[in-house]
Amino acid sequence: MALEALPHPLLPAFFSPGGALRANALQGYLLSLTPAYAPYAPLPVVRLFVLSEKDWRARLPYPYGLPFQHTGPEGLILYAPLTYPERLLHRLREVLLPLGPPPGEIPAFLDLNLGHEYAHALQVAWRLRTGARWLDEFLANYLFLLGLKEKRPELAQELLLFSAYLARLNPEKKSLSLYERRRGNLESALWFQAHFTLKAWEILEKDGDRLLKTFLAEAPLDRRKGHRLLLALYPDLKAWFAAFGLRGAP
C-alpha cells in the first residue's frame, strides 16, 4: 500500500497505514523545535517517514527500529518506526539492567532522540558536518539541546536525566578512537552519547549559542577546521577528550 502524507513546507511526514496519529505527534514535536533554529540560517526541507516494519524493509537495508537521519539524492530524510520492535527494547533493557529502572519509558526516550536526528539534518544543510564521527555527534547533541532549551525545556530536563543515568554505564570499550571507527557496541554508544550530551549542556549553559555562531561563520567545516575551532573556543576540552583515550586529543 502507498504511504499516506501530512503535508508541511518544512517537515512533510509520510507514514504507513495506521500511523496517522504517531506521524502527527512526531511531526509536531520536531516542528516545535524549529523556531529555535530559524534565526541562525535558513531551515531545510526535511522529510519524515514513519514506517511499519514491512515498509521499512522494503525501502531500507538497515535493521528496523532505531530512528536515523539519511542524506542522499532525494534530500534530507528522517526515518522512525511505527512501533519499536520488542527485540530492540529487550536489547536496551539488557544493557540498562545493572543501572536499575530508567528515569522514563524507553520508547519515549527513543522518540525524544528523533530531535537529535533532526539536528544532524541541520548540520548537513548548514555545512557543519566535519566527517569526524565524535565531533559530529557532539555538535548534534549541542544543537539538539539548544532547541530543547529554547522551546521544550521540560524535554531538555528529561534528556539530561536520561543522560546522567546512561553515563553510569561501564562499557568495556571507552576509547574515542574505537568509537570513531564504530568498533564499540550498544553499551559504549549509549555511554558516549550520554557524556557528549552532558558536556554539550555545560557549554550551552555557559556560553549559549556562541559555539553555533562561530561554526556557522566558518562553514563549511571539515575535520581539521572543526577541531581547531572547538579547541580555540574551549581549550579545556582537550583534557576532557583525552580522558576518552584519543591520542593527541582531539
Side-chain angles (χ1 to χ4, degrees):
M1 294 180 66
L3 299 182
E4 300 176 60
L6 290 170
H8 191 277
L10 285 178
L11 258 162
F14 304 87
F15 55 92
S16 298
L21 289 177
R22 175 161 170 76
N24 185 64
L26 293 178
Q27 182 191 53
Y29 160 53
L30 295 175
L31 286 172
S32 73
L33 303 180
T34 56
Y37 302 121
Y40 296 101
L43 295 178
V45 176
V46 181
R47 292 189 292 163
L48 170 65
F49 285 80
V50 181
L51 302 178
S52 66
E53 185 162 5
K54 179 182 177 181
D55 286 332
W56 183 290
R57 291 186 181 279
R59 289 167 170 80
L60 302 168
Y62 311 111
Y64 182 65
L66 283 176
F68 72 97
Q69 185 268 326
H70 175 72
T71 305
E74 68 279 15
L76 299 169
I77 298 179
L78 301 179
Y79 289 101
L82 190 59
T83 59
Y84 291 106
E86 184 55 38
R87 59 185 177 273
L88 171 62
L89 299 178
H90 178 70
R91 282 184 63 207
L92 287 165
R93 292 189 195 106
E94 279 191 321
V95 171
L96 303 180
L97 192 61
L99 303 181
E105 295 295 327
I106 294 175
F109 173 66
L110 295 175
D111 281 353
L112 175 61
N113 275 281
L114 187 62
H116 173 94
E117 300 306 321
Y118 180 69
H120 276 309
L122 294 180
Q123 282 180 284
V124 174
W126 293 349
R127 302 182 301 167
L128 300 181
R129 290 297 286 264
T130 68
R133 185 187 179 209
W134 65 266
L135 182 53
D136 287 338
E137 291 298 329
F138 183 79
L139 183 56
N141 277 297
Y142 168 85
L143 279 171
F144 180 28
L145 284 166
L146 186 149
L148 289 179
K149 182 182 181 185
E150 180 68 24
K151 296 301 177 184
R152 300 297 300 270
E154 78 286 0
L155 295 182
Q157 292 308 310
E158 287 186 24
L159 180 63
L160 293 171
L161 279 174
F162 240 107
S163 297
Y165 168 80
L166 294 172
R168 292 166 39 213
L169 289 168
N170 188 29
E172 180 181 350
K173 296 180 178 180
K174 297 180 180 178
S175 165
L176 203 56
S177 297
L178 291 177
Y179 176 83
E180 183 71 12
R181 297 196 296 273
R182 300 180 185 272
R183 298 249 180 114
N185 54 26
L186 180 59
E187 184 181 18
S188 62
L190 291 169
W191 183 81
F192 271 110
Q193 286 290 2
H195 282 279
F196 289 168
T197 299
L198 295 173
K199 180 56 72 171
W201 180 255
E202 285 183 28
I203 289 175
L204 191 60
E205 286 281 85
K206 175 185 176 183
D207 268 350
D209 60 6
R210 180 187 179 206
L211 175 59
L212 176 56
K213 287 180 175 178
T214 300
F215 274 29
L216 284 172
E218 295 290 335
L221 299 185
D222 57 24
R223 182 184 299 258
R224 184 180 297 275
K225 186 189 287 187
H227 290 174
R228 176 176 56 79
L229 290 172
L230 187 64
L231 288 184
L233 289 173
Y234 304 104
D236 59 309
L237 282 181
K238 185 166 186 177
W240 185 76
F241 281 116
F244 294 111
L246 182 65
R247 186 174 299 172

